[in-house]
Amino acid sequence: MSRRRADHGRVASDGRVVLVTGASTGLGRATALRLERAGFRVLAGVRREADGKEVAAASTYGRITPVTIDVTDEVSVREAAAYVGGLLGPDRPLWGLVNNAGVCVSAPLECVPPERLRWQLETNVVGQLAVTQAFLPDLRRARGRIVNVTSGLGTVAIPFLGRTRRRSSRRRR
């Protein structure tokens, strides 16, 4: 029998830094704000500068810094990794990554144009991989954590969402 930890499994923030992709709206924004309230310094990954200003303005303690990143653009991902590395410096590597950015193409698969499916896969699968690979060296140095956000809706068949969608991607927006 295992003993329950007094902290209920919570991780101490200890000034640790976490990057949350897709932080401009929805679950990503809520995650960024919650992590900041828990004591983490949060890098809010957004595609547009205006969205970054909005999420930073919603910060309770001033520990949210916007980072412009488009997970579907290799150059954007590399630039974001370089920016974060310069911002944090070599003695304070990134400790956490929340891969939250995602999209949903809501239509029967027979009606989904291939370019829309590619866009969804680029965002939800290839984008998460690219971001993880770009930030993995820092995460390893910090013995950090990676959280990949998915949707529980993939466990049920819903008309116009396509059952195979969940196996290779996820539902969002």
Side-chain angles (χ1 to χ4, degrees):
M1 179 191 285
S2 65
R3 295 175 57 178
R4 292 190 82 177
R5 291 175 27 181
D7 63 3
H8 302 289
R10 293 187 182 136
V11 175
S13 60
D14 296 333
R16 292 174 169 154
V17 183
V18 178
L19 170 65
V20 180
T21 65
S24 59
T25 61
L27 185 60
R29 180 184 174 105
T31 300
L33 294 171
R34 175 65 183 98
L35 287 170
E36 188 223 13
R37 284 193 308 273
F40 291 90
R41 180 172 172 200
V42 178
L43 304 177
V46 296
R47 286 182 296 159
R48 291 179 292 276
E49 189 176 323
D51 292 338
K53 289 179 181 177
E54 286 180 22
V55 73
S59 166
T60 303
Y61 301 104
R63 289 190 300 256
I64 294 181
T65 303
V67 174
T68 304
I69 184 171
D70 179 345
V71 302
T72 66
D73 181 342
E74 290 179 35
V75 172
S76 175
V77 171
R78 279 196 309 270
E79 288 175 350
Y83 172 75
V84 168
L87 184 68
L88 300 180
D91 297 330
R92 189 175 183 194
L94 183 68
W95 182 83
L97 169 62
V98 179
N99 277 313
N100 172 72
V103 295
C104 177
V105 176
S106 184
L109 288 177
E110 67 184 359
C111 300
V112 176
E115 64 272 5
R116 293 294 290 171
L117 183 59
R118 283 187 192 97
W119 170 69
Q120 181 174 340
L121 293 171
E122 280 291 325
T123 304
N124 300 356
V125 179
V126 178
Q128 282 195 2
L129 174 67
V131 172
T132 299
Q133 288 175 339
F135 290 95
L136 198 53
D138 276 350
L139 292 164
R140 280 190 174 135
R141 280 192 305 122
R143 300 191 61 149
R145 306 292 185 267
I146 300 170
V147 175
N148 292 320
V149 177
T150 62
S151 171
L153 289 176
T155 61
V156 295
I158 298 174
F160 306 113
L161 286 179
R163 177 70 174 139
T164 60
R165 168 199 50 79
R166 171 63 171 104
R167 295 296 173 224
S168 62
S169 189
R170 68 177 188 157
R171 183 186 189 285
R172 294 278 303 161
R173 295 188 198 128

